[in-house]
Amino acid sequence: QVQLVESGGGLVQAGGSLRLSCAASGRSLSSLTMGWFCQAPGKEREFVASSKWRAGNIGYTSYADSAKGRFTISRDNAKSTVYLHMNSLKPEDTAVYYCAGASPGSEYDYWGQGTQVTVSS
């Protein structure tokens, strides 16, 4: 089992930045695909970014179109922590952001409790 705990959310003005952190315990992150998702009020949960680790410590990242150029996912396997660096934030980025982990060959099966990000105009 993997336990995920997000932190770093808060209130920020449009154009500002935040760094979300996801601390994992219970299992090494090195073999997991880690992702960030968001859910705005009244909307479905959406994919934001993911980081997949391959043999040889080669990383592969993927982003939603809305996140490309503004958000960066990074991971520190030694610290069992995944980050989402969010720049040029917009009011439409307001949502609860969730960290998730997927075992090899599986869907995302580990989820954090979420952290609220609110961007004011």
Side-chain angles (χ1 to χ4, degrees), residues 2-6 22-23 35 45 96-101 109-115:
V2 177
Q3 291 78 44
L4 303 174
V5 179
E6 302 96 334
C22 173
R45 187 164 57 194
V96 177
Y97 283 73
Y98 297 91
C99 174
D109 42 12
Y110 306 114
W111 292 87
Q113 83 290 349
T115 185

Side-chain angles (χ1 to χ4, degrees), residues 2-119:
V2 177
Q3 291 78 44
L4 303 174
V5 179
E6 302 96 334
S7 61
L11 174 64
V12 64
Q13 288 189 331
S17 299
L18 282 175
R19 187 185 77 166
L20 305 184
S21 299
C22 173
S25 61
R27 177 178 171 177
S28 170
L29 290 184
S30 60
S31 63
L32 299 179
T33 294
M34 299 301 298
W36 287 95
F37 294 76
C38 69
Q39 186 168 21
K43 294 188 176 182
E44 297 288 323
R45 187 164 57 194
E46 298 178 345
F47 168 78
V48 177
S50 67
S51 169
K52 185 172 184 178
W53 216 246
R54 300 182 185 275
N57 280 338
I58 299 173
Y60 175 80
T61 57
S62 179
Y63 296 91
D65 287 343
S66 59
K68 288 179 181 176
R70 299 189 301 128
F71 296 178
T72 302
I73 186 171
S74 65
R75 61 197 292 166
D76 187 334
N77 288 337
K79 295 183 178 180
S80 295
T81 303
V82 180
Y83 305 96
L84 184 67
H85 306 262
M86 310 167 69
N87 296 318
S88 302
L89 283 162
K90 306 174 182 179
E92 51 264 42
D93 294 321
T94 295
V96 177
Y97 283 73
Y98 297 91
C99 174
S103 301
S106 299
E107 299 295 322
Y108 287 97
D109 42 12
Y110 306 114
W111 292 87
Q113 83 290 349
T115 185
Q116 176 70 46
V117 171
T118 302
V119 184

